[in-house]
């Protein structure tokens, strides 16, 4: 685990991320808050590409909680059976859809506590929805961010909660909204797990990682 970087270094890192990609986007396909919530819930232990393949046809016919309930669990399973843990995920999607219809008028709430009370929705999923749909600077820490945070010293921590707090505490406010997207994309395509692509890294000169690749 690298030591926490200083404020000025972190600011320069995110200035470079912003210059390269001013408006980073999440890669899960969705058409509204509900389909985003479902897509993120389905993405646990699955790739975004795999979820997108499964949900393209699904969201054409079930893009609201009521339409999902009308579709039914078995039909939902037919759409998502290529995704890991699909039976449990289908059960949770049906349960959360019913709660949204009965308790929230079919709308996705903009409260983290309310989101986390839904079946199959943890803190990371709630933070993604808050950030991507409601544009609240919530930090969704996944394996990429956890790796980068500790490898680079941008936001080190022994667990995801500590890394989340480190982002909130050390990343300048002007970069908070897009911080987790920049970090995810950097981890997905440049600072990969086994052999980071240091030769094309925007922040190579600022990163203290000792085992840089050529």
């Amino acid at each position: 685990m690298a030591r926490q970087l200083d404020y000025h270094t972190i600011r320069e890192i995110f200035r470079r991320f912003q210059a390269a990609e001013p408006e980073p986007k999440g890669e899960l396909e969705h058409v509204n808050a509900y389909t985003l919530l479902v897509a993120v819930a389905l993405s646990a232990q699955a790739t975004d590409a795999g979820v997108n393949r499964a949900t393209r046809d699904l969201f054409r016919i079930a893009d609201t909680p009521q339409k999902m309930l009308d579709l039914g669990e078995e039909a939902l399973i037919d759409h998502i059976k290529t995704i890991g843990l699909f039976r449990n995920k289908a059960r949770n999607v049906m349960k959360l859809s019913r709660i949204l219809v009965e308790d929230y008028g079919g709308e996705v709430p903009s409260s983290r506590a309310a989101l986390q009370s839904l079946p199959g929705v943890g803190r990371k999923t709630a933070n993604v929805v808050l950030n991507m749909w409601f544009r609240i600077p919530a930090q969704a820490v996944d394996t990429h961010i956890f790796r980068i945070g500790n490898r680079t010293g941008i936001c080190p921590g022994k667990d995801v909660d500590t890394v989340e707090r480190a982002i909130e505490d050390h990343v300048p406010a002007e970069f908070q909204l897009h911080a987790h997207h920049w970090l995810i994309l950097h981890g997905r395509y440049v600072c990969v797990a086994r052999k980071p692509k240091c030769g094309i890294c925007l922040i190579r000169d600022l990163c203290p990682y000792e085992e840089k690749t050529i």
Side-chain angles (χ1 to χ4, degrees):
M1 182 189 299
R3 293 177 60 184
Q4 176 69 57
L5 293 177
D6 65 85
Y7 174 83
H8 296 291
T9 302
I10 292 176
R11 184 180 187 82
E12 174 59 17
I13 285 171
F14 282 94
R15 186 199 66 76
R16 294 183 190 182
F17 284 157
Q18 184 182 60
E21 187 69 51
E23 287 286 331
K25 305 293 183 185
E27 297 184 327
L28 285 172
E29 297 173 5
H30 60 282
V31 297
N32 54 28
Y34 173 71
T35 53
L36 174 61
L37 174 64
V38 171
V40 180
L42 293 176
S43 72
Q45 299 180 0
T47 66
D48 287 0
V51 172
N52 289 339
R53 284 193 295 272
T55 57
R56 282 187 191 120
D57 290 338
L58 172 66
F59 290 159
R60 290 191 185 101
I61 58 176
D63 60 355
T64 70
Q66 186 59 59
K67 288 179 182 177
M68 190 68 75
L69 293 174
D70 294 342
L71 179 67
E73 187 171 328
E74 288 306 312
L76 171 58
I77 286 174
D78 283 341
H79 281 279
I80 67 170
K81 59 189 176 184
T82 56
I83 299 174
L85 307 174
F86 64 90
R87 290 192 182 278
N88 189 54
K89 289 176 180 179
R91 193 174 307 116
N92 283 334
V93 167
M94 300 309 291
K95 287 180 180 177
L96 72 82
S97 297
R98 186 164 301 283
I99 292 171
L100 291 176
V101 168
E102 294 178 353
D103 296 348
Y104 296 98
E107 299 294 324
V108 174
S110 59
S111 154
R112 181 185 284 117
L115 286 168
Q116 286 190 244
S117 73
L118 298 171
V121 178
R123 186 178 181 90
K124 188 183 84 168
T125 296
N127 281 351
V128 171
V129 174
L130 292 173
N131 183 283
M132 289 182 62
W133 191 259
F134 296 105
R135 296 187 70 82
I136 295 170
Q139 308 302 334
V141 178
D142 69 352
T143 55
H144 296 301
I145 295 180
F146 186 78
R147 177 178 69 254
I148 292 173
N150 284 292
R151 181 181 278 172
T152 66
I154 294 172
C155 46
K158 65 183 186 301
D159 53 45
V160 293
D161 291 339
T162 309
V163 170
E164 181 182 332
R165 288 195 297 273
I167 297 173
E168 294 171 344
D169 290 344
H170 298 286
V171 174
E174 66 197 272
F175 302 120
Q176 286 277 333
L177 180 61
H178 294 313
H180 93 275
H181 275 135
W182 282 316
L183 292 171
I184 287 172
L185 293 172
H186 191 64
R188 188 171 287 167
Y189 298 111
V190 180
C191 197
V192 295
R194 296 193 177 183
K195 192 175 181 182
K197 301 174 184 177
C198 301
I200 62 169
C201 178
L202 287 173
I203 63 170
R204 176 175 178 164
D205 57 312
L206 302 174
C207 173
Y209 183 57
E210 295 181 354
E211 299 175 37
K212 288 189 175 72
T213 59
I214 298 174

